[in-house]
């Protein structure tokens, strides 16, 4: 039987630990509960029934002692003692459970019955009777199927035959066996009650066990998940820090190898510019000055980039001070003014008045803002708009109180790239380094801020960050 290849087992194999435990333990506890119920109820029922038969035997023996003598079992003339058995039957019938009886002698022959057709017949082949003749109290619930009961009226169906051996007064001699017919209603009632109580107990216990085990396993599964999540986080942090260290080494090497020659180039270009400035002012001279200015500009750009790389790699120690965010935004936008006009992009400032001051490292915040605004300008086509917005937000949970967002009308960042753009060196620009956003994120996070990319009303990009409240009492910092 290929039980292990059924769809249910393969479904279970792929299920979570909690689901597998829930199903397996349900089956096991179900089997255990049923077995327990079966065993305990059987044991109890046997005990109840055994006690009932012993009680019946006790009653029968007491009544027999009251109404009969030893001689009544042995008398050859059965008619002379018959009235005593009739009197005994009348007495026994006063009890609603005992309906009638037959009396056997020690050879298994009926010596008295209210049904006279049975008197004198031998039933020695009846195994219950045989056991009773050996001195045991025997009960048989399937009495009506036996052929000595062929004349029993239908009303007795369901009665239990109880065979009670009767001994002489001295207790040594077996006088005969009383076969009593007992209605089993009270026994059945007791049995049903016992079964129900045991069932209730077993099911209650099983359920309690199931629920408590399930709760423990669910808690354990949650803990495992949490630990796995932490492990993954630690792993990715480790990878990021290793990457950072490598970038740091590389940046230092590049700065060392290129920094000095670059400074020399810049210095030479500046000296040459002095010469051209003192020249004749001809067109050629002017063209040369422009070229030299270009060289100086490009060298400055390269040095800035190198500085950015070094900044990115070196550990950041923020020096938080309370900041007026609106004035910082205005200053940064002003610095970028030339870029906006070069790119023919309009700036829109939507700054909420009376914003609470926030706490952050002013230089970190400035660089982050600069990186985000530069990206927005670079992404926006001519005639587009970059909107910088500041808003206060309710200080829920992590205590962030001011949101700054930069929204552009460019092409936007595809959903699948929204995580990757924060990775160092991820760029889609031919001359980009892919450092801007990762550096902005690093600066912001080191200052307790959170940065997110979201959809915006235009097709472009909206990048927003929220800053924590001003915790210090130092005077508000101005941009240097
Ligand atoms: N406002 C934006 N609109 C669309 N794409 C953006 C925007 N900002 C960032 N990106 C995407 O994220 C990438 C990474 O940006 P990031 O600033 O880190 O590097 P970069 O701009 O490519 O290079 P640089 O190091 O010069 O800034 C960009 O190449 C671009 O694909
Ligand atoms: Mg950039």
């Amino acid at each position: 039987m290929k039980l292990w290849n059924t769809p249910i087992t393969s479904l279970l194999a792929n299920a979570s630990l909690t689901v597998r435990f829930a199903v397996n333990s349900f089956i096991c506890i179900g089997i255990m509960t049923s077995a327990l119920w079966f065993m305990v109820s059987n044991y109890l029922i046997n005990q109840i029934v055994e006690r009932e038969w012993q009680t019946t035997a006790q009653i029968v023996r007491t009544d027999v002692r009251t109404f009969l003598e030893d001689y009544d079992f042995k008398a050859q003339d059965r008619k002379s003692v018959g009235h005593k058995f009739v009197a005994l039957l009348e007495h026994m019938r006063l009890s609603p459970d005992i309906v009638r009886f037959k009396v056997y002698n020690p050879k298994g022959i009926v010596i008295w019955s209210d049904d006279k057709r049975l008197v004198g017949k031998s039933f020695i082949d009846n195994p219950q009777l045989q056991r009773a003749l050996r001195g045991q109290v025997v009960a048989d619930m399937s009495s009506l199927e036996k052929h000595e009961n062929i004349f029993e009226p239908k009303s007795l169906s369901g009665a239990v035959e109880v065979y009670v051996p009767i001994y002489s007064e001295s207790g040594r001699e077996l006088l005969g066996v009383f076969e009593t017919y007992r209605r089993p209603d009270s026994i059945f009632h007791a049995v049903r009650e016992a079964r129900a109580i045991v069932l209730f107990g077993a099911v209650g216990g099983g359920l309690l066990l199931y629920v408590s085990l399930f709760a423990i396993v669910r808690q354990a599964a949650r803990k495992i998940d949490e630990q796995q999540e932490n492990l993954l986080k630690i792993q990715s942090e480790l990878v990021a820090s290793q990457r950072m260290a490598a970038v740091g080494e590389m940046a230092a090497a590049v700065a060392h190898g290129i920094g000095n020659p670059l400074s020399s180039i810049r210095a030479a270009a500046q000296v040459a510019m002095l010469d051209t400035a003192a020249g004749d002012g001809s067109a050629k001279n002017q063209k040369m000055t422009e070229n030299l200015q270009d060289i100086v500009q490009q060298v400055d750009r390269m040095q800035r980039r190198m500085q950015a790389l070094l900044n990115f790699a070196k550990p950041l120690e923020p020096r938080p001070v309370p900041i007026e965010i609106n004035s910082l935004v205005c200053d940064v936008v002003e610095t970028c003014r030339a870029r906006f006009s070069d790119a023919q992009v309009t700036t829109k400032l939507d700054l909420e008045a009376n914003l609470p001051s926030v706490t952050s490292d002013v230089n970190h915040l400035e660089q982050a803002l600069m990186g985000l605004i530069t990206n927005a300008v670079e992404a926006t086509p001519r005639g587009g708009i970059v909107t910088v917005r500041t808003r206060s937000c309710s200080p829920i949970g992590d205590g962030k109180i001011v949101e700054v967002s930069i929204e552009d009308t460019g092409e936007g960042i595809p959903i699948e790239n929204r995580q990757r753009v924060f990775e160092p060196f991820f760029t889609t620009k031919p001359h980009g380094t892919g450092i801007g956003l990762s550096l902005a994120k690093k600066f912001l996070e080191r200052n307790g801020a959170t940065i997110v990319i979201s959809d915006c009303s235009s097709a472009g990009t909206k990048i927003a960050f929220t800053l924590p409240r001003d915790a210090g009492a130092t005077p508000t910092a101005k941009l240097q």
Side-chain angles (χ1 to χ4, degrees):
M1 196 169 62
K2 295 207 166 187
L3 180 73
W4 299 113
N5 290 335
T6 58
I8 294 176
T9 47
S10 61
L11 210 73
L12 267 185
N14 296 330
S16 71
L17 175 71
T18 323
V19 173
R20 271 186 292 160
F21 175 81
V23 174
N24 289 343
S25 63
F26 184 79
I27 295 170
C28 291
I29 292 176
I31 294 171
M32 212 178 75
T33 306
S34 315
L36 193 74
W37 173 66
F38 181 76
M39 285 190 307
V40 176
S41 63
N42 266 12
Y43 174 77
L44 267 183
I45 287 160
N46 283 343
Q47 290 294 315
I48 291 170
V49 168
E50 184 59 29
R51 212 188 51 210
E52 283 293 330
W53 307 149
Q54 291 300 345
T55 313
T56 308
Q58 201 60 44
I59 294 167
V60 169
R61 280 179 183 140
T62 312
D63 289 349
V64 167
R65 275 283 137 252
T66 317
F67 283 85
L68 304 175
E69 294 161 26
D70 293 0
Y71 167 77
D72 300 331
F73 287 87
K74 298 173 193 166
Q76 293 302 315
D77 180 9
R78 299 304 311 160
K79 279 196 181 139
S80 63
V81 292
H83 67 281
K84 289 191 179 181
F85 285 88
V86 173
L88 176 60
L89 180 65
E90 291 305 316
H91 173 76
M92 280 189 174
R93 274 185 180 158
L94 293 177
S95 143
D97 284 350
I98 297 175
V99 218
R100 57 196 301 187
F101 62 75
K102 285 204 277 278
V103 188
Y104 300 89
N105 68 10
K107 289 180 181 145
I109 296 165
V110 178
I111 55 170
W112 191 87
S113 166
D114 53 352
D115 186 343
K116 296 298 168 229
R117 288 170 295 181
L118 293 175
V119 177
K121 285 198 164 44
S122 170
F123 292 103
I124 196 69
D125 57 332
N126 175 346
Q128 278 81 21
L129 179 57
Q130 282 175 3
R131 278 168 58 207
L133 288 172
R134 286 197 295 274
Q136 282 175 31
V137 175
V138 183
D140 180 12
M141 296 228 191
S142 58
S143 57
L144 295 181
E145 286 161 19
K146 286 200 283 297
H147 71 273
E148 69 265 32
N149 296 317
I150 44 176
F151 307 121
E152 298 298 343
K154 275 275 175 237
S155 64
L156 278 182
S157 65
V160 179
E161 295 172 3
V162 187
Y163 295 83
V164 184
I166 306 289
Y167 285 89
S168 64
E169 260 181 273
S170 62
R172 288 202 200 112
E173 188 191 351
L174 180 74
L175 299 174
V177 170
F178 257 70
E179 183 188 350
T180 315
Y181 293 81
R182 231 200 104 157
R183 286 195 197 284
D185 306 359
S186 61
I187 303 167
F188 282 169
H189 181 72
V191 164
R192 268 200 302 273
E193 238 175 33
R195 267 186 205 279
I197 288 170
V198 176
L199 181 69
F200 183 74
V203 170
L207 268 180
L208 197 71
L209 186 68
Y210 180 72
V211 169
S212 45
L213 282 180
F214 184 74
I216 290 171
V217 169
R218 212 168 68 155
Q219 220 175 359
R222 267 193 204 153
K223 275 246 146 54
I224 292 171
D225 285 350
E226 260 170 38
Q227 277 173 356
Q228 252 173 356
E229 225 167 81
N230 280 348
L231 206 68
L232 284 177
K233 208 169 142 199
I234 290 169
Q235 260 179 351
S236 67
E237 277 172 9
L238 199 71
V239 169
S241 73
Q242 279 173 345
R243 212 174 189 173
M244 246 354 87
V247 170
E249 273 177 35
M250 191 194 76
V254 169
H256 184 75
I258 300 178
N260 289 343
L262 273 185
S263 302
S264 307
I265 293 170
R266 193 178 194 280
Q270 272 181 327
V271 171
M273 264 165 74
L274 287 177
D275 289 346
T276 51
D280 54 8
S282 64
K284 193 178 166 194
N285 208 311
Q286 243 172 355
K287 182 80 190 151
M288 201 180 291
T289 310
E290 274 171 26
N291 287 340
L292 288 168
Q293 272 171 346
D294 239 19
I295 291 173
V296 172
Q297 264 176 13
Q298 292 306 321
V299 168
D300 284 349
R301 206 165 149 220
M302 276 172 80
Q303 278 176 331
R304 272 203 306 276
R305 293 231 155 166
M306 245 165 44
Q307 195 52 47
L309 259 176
L310 282 171
N311 283 346
F312 183 70
K314 78 177 176 203
L316 296 175
E317 264 327 309
R319 273 174 294 169
V321 286
I323 297 171
E324 268 176 26
I325 196 75
N326 283 348
S327 84
L328 180 70
V329 168
C330 291
D331 288 342
V332 174
V333 169
E334 201 45 52
T335 313
C336 299
R337 185 68 62 200
R339 281 199 181 182
F340 279 107
S341 58
D342 277 357
Q344 294 178 19
V345 170
T346 316
T347 352
K348 204 171 126 192
L349 289 179
D350 176 7
L351 310 176
E352 188 178 298
N354 302 323
L355 273 183
S357 72
V358 294
T359 304
S360 197
D361 183 307
V362 70
N363 290 319
H364 291 173
L365 207 55
E366 183 207 0
Q367 289 193 51
L369 260 172
M370 192 86 83
L372 298 177
I373 292 174
T374 307
N375 278 348
V377 176
E378 284 171 359
T380 309
R382 282 173 186 211
I385 302 171
V386 170
T387 311
V388 184
R389 196 170 279 129
T390 57
R391 288 275 177 275
S392 61
C393 44
S394 47
I396 31 159
D398 48 5
K400 307 279 166 38
I401 47 162
V402 173
E403 185 193 76
V404 181
S405 65
I406 296 99
E407 201 174 315
D408 61 58
T409 52
E411 290 204 335
I413 303 176
I415 301 250
E416 64 273 17
N417 280 352
R418 286 191 185 175
Q419 273 306 314
R420 298 195 61 205
V421 290
F422 291 115
E423 287 173 10
F425 309 119
F426 175 85
T427 181
T428 54
K429 299 172 191 168
H431 302 294
T433 53
I435 293 254
L437 267 186
S438 51
L439 194 59
K441 184 171 190 275
K442 191 174 158 187
F443 280 140
L444 289 170
E445 285 182 351
R446 287 306 294 267
N447 285 278
T450 319
I451 181 166
V452 282
I453 300 178
S454 52
D455 294 318
C456 63
S457 43
S458 63
T461 304
K462 177 181 170 188
I463 299 190
F465 58 89
T466 42
L467 289 155
R469 67 166 68 246
D470 169 9
T474 33
T476 303
K478 289 269 176 210
L479 192 65
Q480 298 109 28

